[in-house]
Amino acid sequence: MPEPTNSEIAAALDELGDLYELDGAIIHRIVAYRNAAKAVREAPTSVLALARQGRAKELPGIGATIQEKVLALADEGAIPAAVKLKSKFPPGLIEVTRLPGLGPKRARRLFDELSVDSLDALRAAAEAQQIQNLKGFGAKAEATILAALDAAGAGEERTRIVLDRALEVGEQLVAALREHPAADRVELAGSARRMTDTVKDLDVIVTASEPLALAQAAAELKLVESAQKPGSAGVRLRTHTAIQVDVRIVEPDQFGNLLQHLTGSKQHNMALRDMAVRKGLHVSEYGVLDDTTGETHRCATEEEVYALLGLAYIVPELRENRGELEAAANGTLPDLIEAGDLKGDLHCHTTASDGTASIEEMALAARDAGYEYLAITDHSASMGFGSDVSPDQLRAQIERIRGLEIDGIELLAGSEVNVLPDGSLDYEDALLAQLDWVIASIHTSFRMSSAQMTERIVRAVEHPLVDVLGHPSGRKIERRLPYEYDIEAVIETAARTSTMLEINANPDRRDVNDIQARAAVAAGVPLVISTDAHRVGSFTRVPRYGIATARRAWLTNDDVANTRPWAELQVLRGRVAKA
């Protein structure tokens, strides 16, 4: 029996968590298995190998009990606790829990109240319109379930990986290959290089003095779970995090051609080829063929590729066929924002709500990351964490922040205020007026109609004390779809009321997205790039994803408010009457 991979171990632990939730176990046990599954899935080396050495406990969220379950899965083919729990439920009910939008808790309700014990029974209940009558479901949820069943029947799978998970592995792999004595140039290509929200796989382009030796070394890296047979043209890998990696080895004088071709996007390359044909040229991964001379120009750099076509160099983030070719031809490409341009962060959380560090610890981490100012914006009074900030607690926190002096950084008293279903905020105006910075965000009641949600957001944006709308769509990439609302109406309101919109840099959010950010700036709405940091490490790890979204949106320094010192930003925001 083949030994389980990290992906298989993670799936088994996730399943055990689901089974415990079906069985009504305490939430701490359920969360423990899901956290362990996440740690295994993201581990860059073999977790089973660590477990056999007694070292799996070194991973976050994995203790002796879970390490024993990993070993049982490998040695016995199943986790005994999972086998016991599976015997308590119909096999089809497990499949129901895995349908997007359901999960164990809701599946158990459908089982208890409608005897739904399989995907077929679920479809029958939905088509008979029985589900919409259950409290907490409704007609929209019923339609979503039918759509998910149709997608599952068509064989659709969510195979894309959020960018930061992919880069964590991809950049380690690139660094390891660069250390090999045969390596010359090693670069990531593909959608990861364009800094898209998600990737399907990774492409690595390499030049090497000994191609076969480098390909063999790539196949033997500790990051690699399995590899196809290495060759002088490269090797295809699968990492322990279940990411497929295609390592392509190319001659140095064609490196630019292949890097440009594999970076994409498909739409950019198609438009580029069409432009080239009109000039009597043909662009491919092998070179640029000139019809007139019959000569194929091989390019060592991407700059050479674009120059042959009469274009300025186009950075990867812009290669989406959204006008970049025309701008490169006429010299109007924007001077994009850079990673080090942010002067302050205006969204973070401490232990006062759901953060993991104190005000002082967050301030020191932000200062060390190069920020000049930091807004402390803990969740407000109605978030439901059990440790939310009551009005009296917020007053005390404001006083504490005002009294803190930390060399090298200015602290601002703020709050991420919850937008209630009617669009009102959960602090009184008199208290909000004492704050330096107010974020209005939606955290509850996501299933409102588009019209209702739009009205709710517009009312919040119109509030005269709101500075910025936080993570406007509420999406969690690959985990939660954005709620429905009219982004154009929200942008129009933000422009009219001088309210900013947030690019939440958390790699699971990146909200607003690049399309929306570009539309907002075109309407005259300033953007704020914020980390939404809940731990000290976020100030160094997270900003790159907000910057990436901004660059993909064609944004410059002038378009992003917190590239300015705090004094200038205060002038820009100017709390004017909005209603």
Side-chain angles (χ1 to χ4, degrees), residues 3-13 36-37 39-50 59 70 73 222-223 225 238-242:
E3 297 205 317
T5 64
N6 285 6
S7 297
E8 290 166 341
I9 294 169
L13 293 173
V40 171
R41 190 172 286 111
E42 296 177 1
T45 58
S46 169
V47 171
L48 178 58
L50 290 175
L59 297 173
V70 170
L73 178 66
K222 290 184 178 180
L223 294 164
E225 176 188 284
R238 177 183 168 92
T239 71
H240 287 292
T241 53

Side-chain angles (χ1 to χ4, degrees), residues 132-199:
Q132 63 180 266
N133 297 321
L134 297 182
K135 184 178 180 181
F137 282 86
K140 185 176 178 182
E142 190 171 70
T144 300
I145 288 170
L146 282 170
L149 285 165
D150 290 340
E156 296 182 15
E157 295 183 7
R158 298 195 308 169
T159 59
R160 299 192 68 83
I161 304 153
V162 178
L163 181 63
D164 72 317
R165 313 319 186 240
L167 287 183
E168 185 175 0
V169 172
E171 290 174 346
Q172 287 184 63
L173 192 147
V174 166
L177 291 179
R178 284 174 177 166
E179 291 178 359
H180 193 276
D184 179 16
R185 301 180 66 186
V186 183
E187 297 290 344
L188 271 178
S191 52
R193 187 163 178 248
R194 301 198 317 276
M195 298 296 285
T196 56
D197 294 341
T198 63
V199 304

Side-chain angles (χ1 to χ4, degrees), residues 206-355:
V206 179
T207 62
S209 58
E210 298 180 54
L212 182 57
L214 187 64
Q216 290 171 334
E220 294 168 2
L221 290 172
K222 290 184 178 180
L223 294 164
V224 175
E225 176 188 284
S226 60
Q228 295 182 7
K229 185 178 180 179
S232 59
V235 62
R236 183 161 292 173
L237 313 171
R238 177 183 168 92
T239 71
H240 287 292
T241 53
I243 299 175
Q244 301 290 339
V245 184
D246 198 7
V247 179
R248 296 277 298 272
I249 303 176
V250 66
E251 292 294 326
D253 64 350
Q254 285 185 305
F255 184 85
N257 300 112
L258 186 58
L259 182 61
Q260 190 284 320
H261 176 77
L262 288 184
T263 294
S265 65
K266 178 182 178 181
Q267 292 77 11
H268 173 84
N269 285 353
M270 288 174 61
L272 190 71
R273 287 195 295 269
D274 289 345
M275 174 182 284
V277 166
R278 292 194 293 271
K279 297 182 177 185
L281 302 170
H282 298 275
V283 180
S284 74
E285 64 184 277
Y286 305 106
V288 180
L289 172 65
D290 189 324
D291 283 344
T292 303
T293 65
E295 179 184 1
T296 296
H297 298 277
R298 292 162 63 126
C299 304
T301 67
E302 288 184 310
E303 286 83 354
E304 293 175 54
V305 176
Y306 287 105
L308 281 170
L309 301 174
L311 301 175
Y313 175 70
I314 301 170
V315 299
E317 297 95 323
L318 294 185
R319 301 181 197 175
E320 300 292 347
N321 194 27
R322 298 173 185 165
E324 69 274 10
L325 294 180
E326 294 78 5
N330 60 33
T332 58
L333 285 169
D335 184 12
L336 297 177
I337 187 171
E338 298 282 352
D341 291 337
L342 299 180
K343 295 220 170 9
D345 192 286
L346 294 164
H347 188 165
C348 81
H349 300 271
T350 74
T351 50
S353 59
D354 62 337

